[in-house]
């Protein structure tokens, strides 16, 4: 049986940026104030696109998906999760990046990370962030589904 986060079809997960002690090299654009946009601090879980798309479908069926980003090359997806998730995230094949309390504007039309786009925009999401336990279960189910499909080929 495949564990959640196993390397699937040669895809490898890469975080958009490795966390640094020096927080000045953040990939997040400056957040302009005064425009009324809500700033919700969150962390970002990145996974290979194939597994992430399956997980998004699973979460949509169960009303549990929060905002989801895709990178420009569509190699990875990023799930917005509550702040502090990165401290305990250990799912193989995925990465969780802290935002260091910068507060991503999840209600903004523009994605909060440079070089990304919305797969599930904040206004189409069921929550402001995906529950980490629910995401972990969906990623596991997605990995098992992909494994089963690949065996049938």
């Amino acid at each position: 049986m495949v564990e959640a986060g196993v390397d699937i079809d040669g895809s490898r997960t890469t975080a958009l940026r490795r966390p640094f002690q020096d927080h000045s090299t953040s990939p997040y654009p400056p957040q302009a104030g005064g425009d009324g946009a809500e700033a919700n601090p969150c962390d970002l879980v990145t996974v290979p696109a194939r597994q992430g798309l399956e997980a998004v479908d699973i979460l949509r069926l169960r009303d549990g998906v929060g905002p989801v980003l895709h990178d420009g090359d569509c190699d990875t997806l990023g799930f917005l999760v509550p702040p502090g998730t990165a401290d305990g995230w250990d799912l193989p094949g995925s990465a969780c990046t802290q935002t260091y309390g910068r507060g991503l504007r999840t209600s903004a039309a523009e994605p909060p990370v440079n070089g990304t786009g919305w797969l599930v925009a904040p206004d189409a999401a069921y929550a402001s962030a995906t529950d980490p336990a629910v995401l972990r279960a969906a990623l596991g189910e997605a990995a098992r589904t992909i494994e089963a499909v690949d065996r049938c080929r």
Side-chain angles (χ1 to χ4, degrees):
M1 175 166 18
V2 172
E3 288 292 320
V6 169
D7 184 19
I8 298 171
D9 198 32
S11 296
R12 295 186 324 152
T13 299
T14 55
L16 295 175
R17 176 138 334 192
R18 180 180 290 277
F20 295 99
Q21 290 294 67
D22 175 14
H23 307 301
S24 63
T25 58
S26 173
Y28 307 105
Q31 303 294 316
D35 61 359
E38 182 181 338
N40 294 324
C42 58
D43 290 349
L44 185 69
V45 172
T46 55
V47 298
R50 187 175 181 203
Q51 184 180 14
L53 289 169
E54 286 290 334
V56 167
D57 286 344
I58 292 164
L59 292 168
R60 280 184 172 163
L61 290 171
R62 299 181 183 147
D63 297 340
V65 70
V68 180
L69 296 166
H70 64 82
D71 64 359
D73 295 330
C74 295
D75 292 330
T76 59
L77 295 185
F79 292 83
L80 275 60
V81 293
T85 300
D87 295 335
W89 191 262
D90 62 353
L91 189 66
S94 67
C96 189
T97 306
Q98 294 176 328
T99 63
Y100 301 109
R102 289 183 54 113
L104 300 180
R105 291 187 311 175
T106 58
S107 62
E110 285 293 315
V113 180
N114 292 329
T116 65
W118 290 116
L119 178 66
V120 178
D123 59 351
Y126 293 102
S128 61
T130 302
D131 180 275
V134 173
L135 177 58
R136 181 182 300 272
L139 290 170
E141 185 174 339
R144 291 186 298 277
T145 300
I146 291 168
E147 180 188 29
V149 168
D150 288 349
R151 275 194 311 251
C152 294
R153 289 184 186 185

